[in-house]
Amino acid sequence: MKSPLVMLAIVLLVSGSFYSTIKLCGYTYIHSIFSLITMPSIIILLIGKAMKNKNEKTKVSVFFSSLLPLIAIFNVVSTFVASGLNSSNAMLMYNVVYSLVVLRRSLRLFFACVGVRVVRIGLGIVYSIVVIPALSMLVIMLLIILPFMILDSLSSRELPPFVTRTVVRSELSPNSIFLAEIVDADAGATGGSTFVYVTPLNSDLNLFFGTLKKDTQMIYRGRWGEFDTMTLRWESDKILYINKKQYV
């Protein structure tokens, strides 16, 4: 396939679908250095070539250029969700910068490549209403994350969170497949909650381009301070009793 614009759309679609499938299967994607460098490099290269070939008017290229901002939105949302919304500041910064580049360039390619006036005006209005606020929000996120990254680099301590989470008690399943934890979430004057999380152990899938980490599941939420009287007991690797009530 010789069209860089079509290749760009396919790469964004395939990677977005991959990220979505990962999350639906209950995994978080952890990038390797290879994927952190390779994927953005491929996308930037294809964007540059597509801009040079913006006068390409084949039916396939026109079709994909018309849908490119929509494909880009799908890709960046999937990327954020798959890599975890509670990831480190550095990873969050990476995702924000990646999203800024992909969304901005996809919108520019749309206006540069779509020549049909009705499509250009109609879809252009829709895409602008969606993409421009998204770009503004990403810039704001960038300005918020940057000071925290600087503070993190200047201090060996983690910044105090708004909610203090303390593991009160933990129990391994019989065959050490799962770890159940009672967590005290203290929000200070606003109160708090008691959670029970179940974490799969030794379930990571190491791939050449990254690692799939099985998500921790929150299976119980109760009132703050409840952890003092809570009971936690595994009957098997699949059955957990919390306060004598069965959870699977």
Side-chain angles (χ1 to χ4, degrees), residues 8-243:
L8 171 64
I10 291 175
V11 167
L12 293 176
L13 267 176
V14 170
S15 59
S17 299
F18 171 72
Y19 293 140
S20 299
T21 303
I22 286 171
K23 204 60 190 177
L24 287 173
C25 292
Y27 285 89
T28 292
Y29 179 70
I30 301 173
H31 289 273
S32 66
I33 296 297
F34 177 80
S35 66
L36 283 173
I37 296 173
T38 304
M39 181 57 71
S41 300
I42 291 172
I43 290 173
I44 290 170
L45 178 64
L46 290 173
I47 287 172
K49 288 188 174 182
M51 285 302 297
K52 289 182 179 180
N53 294 2
K54 61 184 178 181
N55 294 322
E56 181 185 2
K57 299 300 178 185
T58 64
K59 290 182 179 180
V60 177
S61 64
V62 170
F63 172 77
F64 277 105
S65 61
S66 299
L67 296 179
L68 193 59
L70 182 62
I71 294 170
I73 292 169
F74 166 67
N75 179 272
V76 299
V77 170
S78 300
T79 301
F80 263 101
V81 173
S83 60
L85 298 176
N86 295 320
S87 54
S88 66
N89 285 335
M91 194 64 239
L92 199 54
M93 173 75 81
Y94 172 90
N95 285 337
V96 168
V97 173
Y98 170 83
S99 301
L100 278 169
V101 172
V102 172
L103 288 177
R104 184 172 177 272
R105 290 298 179 180
S106 67
L107 194 61
R108 185 176 176 185
L109 276 168
F110 167 79
F111 285 111
C113 298
V114 175
V116 181
R117 178 172 291 186
V118 176
V119 177
R120 184 187 175 99
I121 294 174
L123 287 179
I125 293 172
V126 174
Y127 289 148
S128 297
I129 290 172
V130 176
V131 174
I132 291 176
L135 289 172
S136 302
M137 186 173 66
L138 287 168
V139 170
I140 292 171
M141 286 179 66
L142 200 63
L143 295 176
I144 292 173
I145 297 167
L146 196 57
F148 281 95
M149 287 190 66
I150 295 171
L151 287 171
D152 281 342
S153 66
L154 294 176
S155 174
S156 58
R157 298 183 305 153
E158 291 185 359
L159 294 172
F162 294 105
V163 179
T164 302
R165 295 177 181 269
T166 305
V167 177
V168 178
R169 189 160 68 256
S170 60
E171 292 287 339
L172 275 172
S173 65
N175 294 308
S176 300
I177 297 176
F178 296 99
L179 174 67
E181 294 179 314
I182 299 176
V183 176
D184 168 31
D186 187 354
T190 60
S193 300
T194 298
F195 297 97
V196 175
Y197 293 97
V198 173
T199 303
L201 303 177
N202 304 317
S203 61
D204 295 358
L205 299 177
N206 294 314
L207 307 174
F208 173 72
F209 48 84
T211 302
L212 303 185
K213 186 177 181 63
K214 192 70 174 177
D215 291 339
T216 296
Q217 301 293 323
M218 189 267 287
I219 63 170
Y220 178 86
R221 178 174 182 173
R223 67 183 185 279
W224 181 68
E226 186 180 357
F227 56 84
D228 285 330
T229 57
M230 285 179 67
T231 59
L232 197 66
R233 179 177 66 84
W234 286 98
E235 184 174 284
S236 69
D237 288 319
K238 296 294 184 180
I239 299 176
L240 174 67
Y241 281 92
I242 303 172
N243 295 335

